[in-house]
Short mmCIF file of all heavy atoms in Angstrom, two decimals:
data_model
loop_
_atom_site.label_atom_id
_atom_site.label_comp_id
_atom_site.label_asym_id
_atom_site.label_seq_id
_atom_site.Cartn_x
_atom_site.Cartn_y
_atom_site.Cartn_z
N GLU A 24 -23.84 -8.31 -11.12
CA GLU A 24 -22.93 -9.29 -11.73
C GLU A 24 -22.28 -8.65 -12.94
O GLU A 24 -22.85 -8.02 -13.78
CB GLU A 24 -23.65 -10.56 -12.12
CG GLU A 24 -22.72 -11.60 -12.57
CD GLU A 24 -23.52 -12.85 -12.87
OE1 GLU A 24 -24.72 -12.88 -12.60
OE2 GLU A 24 -22.94 -13.89 -13.36
N ARG A 25 -20.92 -8.82 -13.02
CA ARG A 25 -20.17 -8.29 -14.12
C ARG A 25 -20.39 -9.18 -15.29
O ARG A 25 -20.42 -10.37 -15.32
CB ARG A 25 -18.62 -8.24 -13.82
CG ARG A 25 -18.35 -7.19 -12.71
CD ARG A 25 -16.89 -7.02 -12.65
NE ARG A 25 -16.18 -8.14 -12.17
CZ ARG A 25 -15.97 -8.53 -10.92
NH1 ARG A 25 -16.56 -7.75 -9.93
NH2 ARG A 25 -15.32 -9.63 -10.52
N ALA A 26 -20.57 -8.47 -16.49
CA ALA A 26 -20.88 -9.23 -17.78
C ALA A 26 -19.59 -9.72 -18.50
O ALA A 26 -19.77 -10.12 -19.59
CB ALA A 26 -21.82 -8.47 -18.59
N GLY A 27 -18.42 -9.58 -17.94
CA GLY A 27 -17.18 -9.94 -18.67
C GLY A 27 -16.43 -8.64 -18.92
O GLY A 27 -16.84 -7.51 -18.93
N GLU A 28 -15.12 -8.86 -19.16
CA GLU A 28 -14.18 -7.74 -19.31
C GLU A 28 -14.53 -6.97 -20.60
O GLU A 28 -15.00 -7.38 -21.60
CB GLU A 28 -12.83 -8.35 -19.47
CG GLU A 28 -11.77 -7.30 -19.31
CD GLU A 28 -10.28 -7.97 -19.19
OE1 GLU A 28 -10.28 -8.89 -18.35
OE2 GLU A 28 -9.47 -7.52 -19.92
N ALA A 29 -14.28 -5.60 -20.48
CA ALA A 29 -14.64 -4.79 -21.50
C ALA A 29 -13.76 -5.00 -22.70
O ALA A 29 -12.70 -5.62 -22.60
CB ALA A 29 -14.27 -3.32 -21.01
N ASP A 30 -14.27 -4.61 -23.91
CA ASP A 30 -13.56 -4.85 -25.20
C ASP A 30 -12.16 -4.09 -25.07
O ASP A 30 -12.12 -2.94 -24.80
CB ASP A 30 -14.31 -4.24 -26.31
CG ASP A 30 -13.61 -4.32 -27.65
OD1 ASP A 30 -13.35 -5.56 -28.17
OD2 ASP A 30 -13.29 -3.22 -28.21
N PRO A 31 -11.07 -4.87 -25.34
CA PRO A 31 -9.74 -4.20 -25.19
C PRO A 31 -9.52 -2.99 -26.00
O PRO A 31 -8.89 -1.97 -25.62
CB PRO A 31 -8.83 -5.37 -25.60
CG PRO A 31 -9.55 -6.56 -25.30
CD PRO A 31 -10.97 -6.26 -25.59
N ALA A 32 -10.06 -3.04 -27.25
CA ALA A 32 -9.93 -1.86 -28.10
C ALA A 32 -10.66 -0.69 -27.64
O ALA A 32 -10.16 0.45 -27.70
CB ALA A 32 -10.35 -2.19 -29.57
N GLU A 33 -11.87 -0.92 -27.11
CA GLU A 33 -12.65 0.21 -26.63
C GLU A 33 -12.02 0.72 -25.30
O GLU A 33 -11.96 1.96 -25.16
CB GLU A 33 -14.04 -0.31 -26.32
CG GLU A 33 -14.97 0.80 -25.74
CD GLU A 33 -15.30 1.94 -26.78
OE1 GLU A 33 -15.12 1.67 -28.00
OE2 GLU A 33 -15.85 2.94 -26.37
N LEU A 34 -11.55 -0.13 -24.45
CA LEU A 34 -10.84 0.34 -23.27
C LEU A 34 -9.62 1.10 -23.59
O LEU A 34 -9.26 2.26 -23.02
CB LEU A 34 -10.39 -0.95 -22.40
CG LEU A 34 -9.48 -0.70 -21.25
CD1 LEU A 34 -10.10 0.30 -20.22
CD2 LEU A 34 -9.13 -1.95 -20.48
N ALA A 35 -8.86 0.69 -24.59
CA ALA A 35 -7.59 1.38 -24.94
C ALA A 35 -7.90 2.78 -25.53
O ALA A 35 -7.26 3.77 -25.22
CB ALA A 35 -6.84 0.51 -26.03
N SER A 36 -8.96 2.82 -26.38
CA SER A 36 -9.35 4.11 -26.94
C SER A 36 -9.71 5.11 -25.86
O SER A 36 -9.26 6.33 -25.88
CB SER A 36 -10.38 3.91 -27.90
OG SER A 36 -10.96 5.14 -28.39
N ARG A 37 -10.55 4.69 -25.01
CA ARG A 37 -10.96 5.62 -23.98
C ARG A 37 -9.89 5.96 -22.93
O ARG A 37 -9.83 7.12 -22.56
CB ARG A 37 -12.17 5.06 -23.19
CG ARG A 37 -13.43 4.77 -24.01
CD ARG A 37 -14.60 4.35 -23.16
NE ARG A 37 -15.73 3.98 -23.91
CZ ARG A 37 -17.01 3.91 -23.47
NH1 ARG A 37 -17.14 4.10 -22.27
NH2 ARG A 37 -17.93 3.57 -24.30
N ALA A 38 -9.15 4.99 -22.59
CA ALA A 38 -8.03 5.33 -21.64
C ALA A 38 -7.07 6.23 -22.09
O ALA A 38 -6.62 7.20 -21.48
CB ALA A 38 -7.33 3.94 -21.11
N ARG A 39 -6.59 6.04 -23.39
CA ARG A 39 -5.58 6.89 -23.99
C ARG A 39 -6.09 8.27 -24.26
O ARG A 39 -5.37 9.27 -24.11
CB ARG A 39 -5.13 6.26 -25.31
CG ARG A 39 -4.19 5.06 -25.02
CD ARG A 39 -3.78 4.41 -26.30
NE ARG A 39 -2.93 3.23 -25.91
CZ ARG A 39 -2.91 1.98 -26.60
NH1 ARG A 39 -3.82 1.88 -27.53
NH2 ARG A 39 -2.18 0.99 -26.23
N ALA A 40 -7.34 8.45 -24.56
CA ALA A 40 -7.93 9.74 -24.67
C ALA A 40 -7.99 10.47 -23.37
O ALA A 40 -7.98 11.73 -23.25
CB ALA A 40 -9.37 9.67 -25.29
N PHE A 41 -7.94 9.70 -22.24
CA PHE A 41 -8.00 10.28 -20.88
C PHE A 41 -6.61 10.54 -20.33
O PHE A 41 -6.51 11.10 -19.23
CB PHE A 41 -8.78 9.39 -19.96
CG PHE A 41 -9.59 10.03 -18.92
CD1 PHE A 41 -10.69 10.81 -19.31
CD2 PHE A 41 -9.36 9.91 -17.65
CE1 PHE A 41 -11.38 11.47 -18.29
CE2 PHE A 41 -10.11 10.48 -16.66
CZ PHE A 41 -11.16 11.31 -17.01
N GLY A 42 -5.55 10.05 -21.12
CA GLY A 42 -4.15 10.25 -20.59
C GLY A 42 -3.75 9.09 -19.68
O GLY A 42 -2.73 9.29 -19.03
N VAL A 43 -4.48 7.94 -19.70
CA VAL A 43 -4.17 6.82 -18.89
C VAL A 43 -3.73 5.62 -19.78
O VAL A 43 -4.29 5.41 -20.81
CB VAL A 43 -5.45 6.41 -18.14
CG1 VAL A 43 -5.14 5.23 -17.26
CG2 VAL A 43 -5.87 7.54 -17.22
N ASP A 44 -2.66 4.86 -19.26
CA ASP A 44 -2.32 3.60 -19.92
C ASP A 44 -3.40 2.62 -19.71
O ASP A 44 -3.83 2.38 -18.57
CB ASP A 44 -0.99 3.15 -19.31
CG ASP A 44 -0.40 1.98 -20.03
OD1 ASP A 44 -1.19 0.99 -20.37
OD2 ASP A 44 0.74 2.01 -20.42
N PRO A 45 -4.01 2.03 -20.82
CA PRO A 45 -4.98 1.07 -20.67
C PRO A 45 -4.70 -0.14 -19.70
O PRO A 45 -5.61 -0.67 -18.98
CB PRO A 45 -5.25 0.56 -22.09
CG PRO A 45 -4.71 1.56 -22.98
CD PRO A 45 -3.56 2.21 -22.20
N GLU A 46 -3.40 -0.54 -19.60
CA GLU A 46 -3.06 -1.52 -18.66
C GLU A 46 -3.30 -1.23 -17.23
O GLU A 46 -3.41 -2.21 -16.44
CB GLU A 46 -1.53 -1.83 -18.93
CG GLU A 46 -0.96 -2.93 -18.05
CD GLU A 46 0.53 -3.09 -18.24
OE1 GLU A 46 1.28 -2.12 -18.56
OE2 GLU A 46 1.05 -4.18 -17.98
N LEU A 47 -3.34 0.02 -16.91
CA LEU A 47 -3.46 0.46 -15.55
C LEU A 47 -4.93 0.84 -15.07
O LEU A 47 -5.13 1.25 -13.96
CB LEU A 47 -2.57 1.69 -15.33
CG LEU A 47 -1.12 1.51 -15.77
CD1 LEU A 47 -0.38 2.77 -15.38
CD2 LEU A 47 -0.42 0.35 -15.04
#
Side-chain angles (χ1 to χ4, degrees):
E24 187 175 354
R25 294 191 295 273
E28 193 170 311
D30 176 66
E33 181 68 15
L34 172 58
S36 174
R37 296 191 187 194
R39 287 174 179 144
F41 214 65
V43 175
D44 188 313
E46 180 187 27
L47 305 183

